[in-house]
Amino acid sequence: MTNFASDNVTAMAPEILAALAAANEGPAMPYGADPVTERVRARFNEIFETETVVYPVATGTAANVLGLSLLTPPYGAVYCHRDAHIAVDECGAPEFYTGGAKLVTLEGAQGKLTADILAAEIGGAGDVHHVQPSAISLTQATEVGTLYRPDEVAAISEVAQRHKLGLQMDGARFANAIAALGCSPAEMTWKAGVDVLAFGATKNGAMAAEAVVIFKPELAGEFGFRRKRGGHLFSKGRFLSAQLEGYLADDLWLRHARHANSLAARLGAGLSGLPGITLHHPVEANILFLRLPKAVVDGLKAAGFMFYDWANATTGHDHREIRLVTAFNSVSEDVEAFIASAASLARDAAA
């Protein structure tokens, strides 16, 4: 089976597995007081060109919601896109870890918020009957695979600062965004006004490792307590940090992302223009959303390809919506085989 369902389906990258094995030698102090974690924190400072406060965690959910909890009180409002992972796929975890803050979901073309959208929607400050505007959360890359440019983040940050809101970035696919845009991590985050970043590694070759990167030290004082209270402080923390150390060494994280992005671009180019197949969004990272005839979808599945397939009321019975995701270890032969099968099936369906 060739699996394009998600970048979560992959095994670990060999380099990260080797880093884990190296960290497994001998004793080390627990709860992050180990030399591996110390090196990882120094590496994050290098990558982001500034002093950061970094906390490794095991899941993207923990990275997102614990970071958000620093920015909003229980009566706060967190503004995000209606398709944001925190709004659709976190099972109420943002509300739980913030003590009850409300997610205010907004529309935005191509999965993105804009400064104008936010400026028009943020309100209620000081009114005891309303949740209080507290934070904005951006997903990078977005849930549909599009990207925020640094100037777009900076414009949103200006709105956040005007209303005294924090700005959090869900960077589960942060590497894919940096690799695609060619900007520096600093330009995408703190230089553009981001306060807290959920830095992803699991989707790009790690086993279970993310990091909360805090760019304002004054925000970090509570985090250790929130992580412990939330059940995300690992006693053998070196094994989280070892994954991040292997991931960041020799720019592995960017090389992986470039590879995944390039194969997604090839899929997009090969599938665009085929009869009956519509690409919904620009292919900017490693995700594609397409509308295909049902016969093509069924034929691709019969040929051994795996992907997410959704029924959609707007497509009728003869078409389906699918998502394809490429990963750090996807191979070009599988991409070419998918394109060839889709082309043949699309021509047959059109005939």
Side-chain angles (χ1 to χ4, degrees):
M1 301 290 285
T2 300
N3 197 324
F4 290 118
S6 173
D7 37 13
N8 284 325
V9 306
T10 65
M12 291 177 65
E15 297 90 340
I16 297 175
L17 187 59
L20 264 177
N24 198 42
E25 295 295 324
M29 292 301 289
Y31 304 114
D34 60 89
V36 184
T37 301
E38 184 177 351
R39 292 195 300 268
V40 164
R41 287 172 173 152
R43 180 68 176 129
F44 271 102
N45 291 344
E46 292 175 4
I47 288 172
F48 285 96
E49 305 171 52
T50 191
E51 283 291 319
T52 62
V53 182
V54 176
Y55 288 91
V57 293
T59 71
T61 298
N64 270 326
V65 302
L66 288 170
L68 279 172
S69 76
L70 299 176
L71 302 177
T72 181
Y75 50 84
V78 178
Y79 296 88
C80 61
H81 194 276
R82 68 163 191 178
D83 296 329
H85 203 81
I86 61 169
V88 178
D89 294 303
E90 301 287 24
C91 196
E95 294 89 338
F96 180 80
Y97 279 88
T98 59
K102 181 178 182 178
L103 299 185
V104 180
T105 59
L106 304 176
E107 299 285 339
Q110 304 293 358
K112 295 163 63 175
L113 297 178
T114 66
D116 289 342
I117 289 170
L118 287 158
E121 294 292 338
I122 294 171
D127 189 330
V128 72
H129 299 288
H130 293 252
V131 288
Q132 295 301 288
S134 299
I136 298 168
S137 179
L138 305 179
T139 310
Q140 180 75 312
T142 71
E143 291 299 306
V144 298
T146 52
L147 302 176
Y148 288 96
R149 275 62 180 169
D151 63 317
E152 294 173 310
V153 177
I156 289 170
S157 173
E158 191 279 327
V159 174
Q161 292 173 26
R162 191 191 320 154
H163 291 276
K164 298 181 171 59
L165 276 61
L167 181 57
Q168 185 260 1
M169 180 173 282
D170 173 358
R173 296 184 176 94
F174 185 76
N176 299 92
I178 297 300
L181 296 176
C183 61
S184 72
E187 290 167 337
M188 181 56 71
T189 54
W190 64 272
K191 287 185 177 181
V194 173
D195 298 313
V196 180
L197 168 70
F199 180 91
T202 305
K203 294 180 186 297
N204 200 26
M207 177 181 68
E210 317 280 307
V212 180
V213 185
I214 302 168
F215 298 106
K216 289 186 174 179
E218 63 270 25
L219 292 173
E222 296 180 2
F223 191 90
F225 301 106
R226 290 181 178 273
R227 181 175 62 162
K228 174 63 175 179
R229 182 176 180 268
H232 288 284
L233 176 61
F234 276 45
S235 57
K236 296 183 180 180
R238 59 174 155 159
F239 295 113
L240 292 179
S241 298
Q243 294 177 67
L244 293 169
E245 184 170 47
Y247 183 60
L248 298 174
D250 301 320
D251 285 340
L252 181 71
W253 65 296
L254 293 175
R255 288 188 280 116
H256 278 182
R258 291 188 191 104
H259 175 77
N261 289 355
S262 68
L263 292 185
R266 174 63 191 126
L267 273 172
L271 297 172
S272 296
L274 292 178
I277 296 180
T278 303
L279 191 64
H280 285 314
H281 307 284
V283 183
E284 296 184 338
N286 65 323
I287 308 173
L288 301 85
F289 283 84
L290 303 109
R291 179 180 185 267
L292 296 85
K294 184 177 182 299
V296 176
V297 173
D298 292 342
L300 288 166
K301 289 179 178 178
F305 296 103
M306 295 182 67
F307 44 83
Y308 281 121
D309 168 21
W310 292 281
N312 189 312
T314 65
T315 62
H317 295 296
D318 296 331
H319 286 79
R320 303 285 290 183
E321 304 279 348
I322 73 167
R323 186 187 78 168
L324 305 175
V325 184
T326 52
F328 79 94
N329 60 354
S330 297
V331 296
S332 58
E333 290 82 3
D334 290 341
V335 167
E336 297 302 331
F338 188 96
I339 294 169
S341 292
S344 176
L345 290 162
R347 286 192 292 268
D348 290 345

